[in-house]
Amino acid sequence: MRAHRPVWMFRRAPLQGCLVLCALILAAAGCARGADEARLTADVQNRLDRELSPDLFELVGLKREGSAPLPAGESGAPRVIVYFNASLRLARDYTFGGWDQLAPSSVAYALGATDKGVFGLQATNRAGEVVRAYGSAVYEEGPEGWVAVSAVPAERTTVAPDLDATGPSLRSKQLIDALAAKVNLPPPGVTPQDDEIIAQELTRATENIERRVQRRAHTFTLATGATDSEYARFGRSFVEAIGAAAPAVKLRQRGSDGSVDNAQLLSRGEADYAIIQADVAAAAVAGEDVFAQGGPLASLRAVGALFPEAVHIVVPTNSPIRDVGQLRGHRVAIGAPGSGTRFDALAVLEAHGLKVTDLAEARGDVTADALARLKRGEIHAVFLTALAPTRALQQFAVSPGLRLVPLSAGAMQRIIELRPGLTALTLPANTYPKQHEPVMAVASTALLVTTADAPDAEVAAVADLVFKRMPAQYAGSADVIRVSPQHQRRGVTIPLHSGLTRRQSSPDTGG
């Protein structure tokens, strides 16, 4: 005799099936948040045409790889980021490494990719070649559904861990104890003025000790820039690339205030190599301008040219300032003391008949602080000498928006006369988001610099690594590294190191 089941047991299976079906429908809808693959493909192609150049890339393949929620936009509307893999075919020849052409970073921005998320870009790409990317697109939900919005991909950086310390020798411990006796005083203790002097000297001594100790272990010190600067960003990628191309070569990065500071660090023996603007290097070797008081830094020698750096003059999109002369009476960030930005800003102002005292305020903020003040309306313009496009300005161009103040042809010639090493440069349209017209500017070459006492064989090996082996390894990536053998001598304003000139004049040994 068959047992009778309660009525609710017969209804359970269909109910479970309905719940599973609903869950699948909701999951499918969640997977298509923002845009499905067809909509995403159309949006990415439109963005390439709009933010780079029409008919430069043809999107030949795209695979949607899911999505994730983002913090709400300024309006409070929900946002999601949609990830994808894409293949793009070049419609025409293009020189992405050219001084007056769009940079790899502009391509990365248009695809919502990081600099290392684009593969296949080279100094010169030919029509028909395929570029691949791991990209993303940001969508915001509005009354009519999901709408694509501009956003710069976040950059993840890692900081090298501190090297293990070793115990001090007897002599060094005696000196440390003597120094401690000068600091550990009974109340009222060290005066603020004395404390500042001691702190400055200790910082310098610590860095110099670290540099000399590491030099003995065949680890070279590269002076770059402030923590959030493009020099520091380049330095991180540079150290990483050198390590990948030649694991036996050890390189450590040292922060600084910028080009002027770097020249002085090299001359004092507190760095082995440094990145210095060509116009700053020329003034340092000649003992001119900011280097006049201390005399020529005659020991500086060039290893080669790395990349061009444009002098940006940034204002908000709604600013009434249309030319440099209109900066008079305004609050302007002209760059930190010791930076190449300040060095160039002073020349730009002088070429337009302005002195620092003609400004309502001349601030020395680092880039991040200066742009934050510009966004809050506390200052009216920012100078920045940097590789274009620079990530900080890409982000600012997206929100709240920026406009680059161009230079007149007459003023440009005066600037070049004031700063040997600067040259005319056109920033092409779409170098930055929403920049629809080319901008006339001046630029300096960022040089890799060392000193005359660096061993010839070492410098020759470094140059070979930087300008031959490293570009070959990174030719398929849109990384910040854009060094090229073809541009190794472009814009060099100081003598080349003897390790390079002797190698050029020696017979070819095939090595």
Side-chain angles (χ1 to χ4, degrees), residues 222-226 229 231-232 234-235 253-259 262 274-275:
L222 172 71
T224 56
S229 68
Y231 271 15
F234 175 87
Q253 181 178 348
R254 171 178 178 168
S256 74
D257 290 332
S259 285
N262 286 349
I275 306 171

Side-chain angles (χ1 to χ4, degrees), residues 46-94:
N46 288 337
R47 186 167 181 177
L48 290 168
D49 293 340
R50 182 181 69 251
E51 298 183 359
L52 293 177
S53 178
D55 304 322
L56 178 60
F57 284 109
E58 177 190 1
L59 188 59
V60 294
L62 182 143
K63 182 180 180 182
R64 192 180 188 281
E65 296 290 354
S67 63
L70 288 177
E74 294 181 1
S75 65
R79 281 190 173 188
V80 296
I81 183 169
V82 181
Y83 300 100
F84 60 85
N85 295 339
S87 298
L88 307 91
R89 181 182 295 120
L90 267 293
R92 62 177 189 271
D93 295 353
Y94 200 87

